[in-house]
Amino acid sequence: MDEYELYGVAREQFITERTAWVKVLRADGRREEAARVAALRKPSVAAATVNQLVRTEPDRLAALLAAGDALRAAQARMLSGDGTAIELRDAAERERSAVDALLSVATGEGMSGAVSDRVAGTLHAAALDTDARAQVCAGQLVEELQHVGFGGDSARSHAAPKRAEERERTEQRRLTEERRQARDDERDARRRLQAAERALASAEERHAATRTALKDAEHKLAEARVEAEAASAAHGTAQRALDSL
């Protein structure tokens, strides 16, 4: 056995497997190595879950790392003034979707909401931090990791700076507000479109009615002209008859 194999076993079997390995090493007279193995720490629930994902979901992990590279590139372009907020937001959405894809297949002992959040934080760190990526891909995590800023190094979750957490919350609030505003704008635009469609339909009805009334008036005018011409002719005939008397 080696450390990679040890950290690949189910978490509840870790102590048993480690003890068995230590016994083999001691039996072989390799006491220093046995002491080192005996000191290996049992992984946290979140760390053990990530270790399993590294082994069972290589394709989803590769997709996450690619999405992380794209997000880091978008961040760099944004900082240099060559990128756009839309590009950065789209890259962030792809990275979050890749994290969600891994979470959807994650299983582990006591997989509570809090543990799920820690797993997500570790995967997020692996996507964006060089140091965290190396640790995660090694598949031997003992504790969860957390990303602490643009392109920075990772840190143990219990030592993450408060300001990093606040930046994350601020960013989430900003995205939430942008989504709310976009929904409001869409609703307003839809209401204006519906009102314009109703007004157009009403105008078309009035126009059609006006055209019908105009045709009726033109027909009546033509009839009146015919009657007027007939009356004029009759009057002329009567006048001539009167003049001849």
Side-chain angles (χ1 to χ4, degrees):
M1 175 173 281
D2 58 21
E3 289 185 31
Y4 183 81
E5 290 180 282
L6 178 62
Y7 281 95
V9 303
R11 183 174 180 270
E12 60 271 18
Q13 297 174 355
F14 183 88
I15 300 299
T16 300
E17 293 294 330
R18 185 186 65 186
T19 301
W21 187 14
V22 169
K23 287 180 178 180
V24 170
L25 292 173
R26 286 174 178 167
D28 289 344
R30 298 153 64 182
R31 295 193 173 277
E32 289 185 3
E33 189 174 350
R36 181 185 63 79
V37 171
L40 294 175
R41 295 169 55 197
K42 182 179 180 179
S44 69
V45 176
T49 301
V50 173
N51 289 340
Q52 290 299 323
L53 289 173
V54 169
R55 291 162 172 79
T56 61
E57 301 295 333
D59 292 341
R60 284 186 172 89
L61 180 63
L64 170 66
L65 301 183
D69 288 340
L71 178 53
R72 293 171 71 176
Q75 290 171 344
R77 286 192 293 273
M78 190 70 176
L79 291 173
S80 67
D82 294 330
T84 65
I86 293 177
E87 178 187 20
L88 181 60
R89 193 158 54 244
D90 288 345
E93 288 291 347
R94 287 196 297 273
E95 189 266 346
R96 278 192 289 273
S97 294
V99 170
D100 290 342
L102 281 163
L103 282 177
S104 70
V105 296
T107 58
E109 176 188 332
M111 196 57 179
S112 64
V115 171
S116 179
D117 289 344
R118 294 188 186 102
V119 171
T122 301
L123 295 173
H124 182 61
L128 298 179
D129 298 343
T130 302
D131 179 59
R133 179 173 298 193
Q135 293 181 63
V136 167
C137 290
Q140 300 173 38
L141 284 180
V142 175
E143 293 180 332
E144 56 269 20
L145 305 174
Q146 184 169 342
H147 177 58
V148 295
F150 275 11
D153 294 329
S154 64
R156 302 291 184 189
S157 60
H158 60 270
K162 292 294 184 182
R163 59 178 178 275
E165 296 177 2
E166 180 58 32
R167 283 198 299 270
E168 184 70 17
R169 287 194 294 270
T170 299
E171 176 66 10
Q172 289 298 325
R173 286 195 295 269
R174 184 185 66 78
L175 290 174
T176 298
E177 177 59 25
E178 287 185 357
R179 292 189 188 101
R180 185 198 62 77
Q181 186 61 53
R183 287 194 297 269
D184 289 347
D185 291 345
E186 189 276 333
R187 282 196 296 269
D188 289 344
R190 186 168 64 250
R191 284 195 292 267
R192 290 197 298 273
L193 174 61
Q194 291 170 345
E197 289 175 341
R198 288 194 297 271
L200 175 61
S202 178
E204 288 176 341
E205 289 177 359
R206 290 195 301 273
H207 179 259
T210 300
R211 290 184 61 183
T212 299
L214 178 61
K215 287 181 180 179
D216 289 344
E218 289 175 344
H219 180 69
K220 291 178 179 179
L221 176 61
E223 290 179 343
R225 283 175 176 167
V226 170
E227 291 179 0
E229 289 174 357
S232 177
H235 177 265
T237 300
Q239 184 65 48
R240 287 192 296 275
L242 178 64
D243 290 343
S244 65
L245 293 176

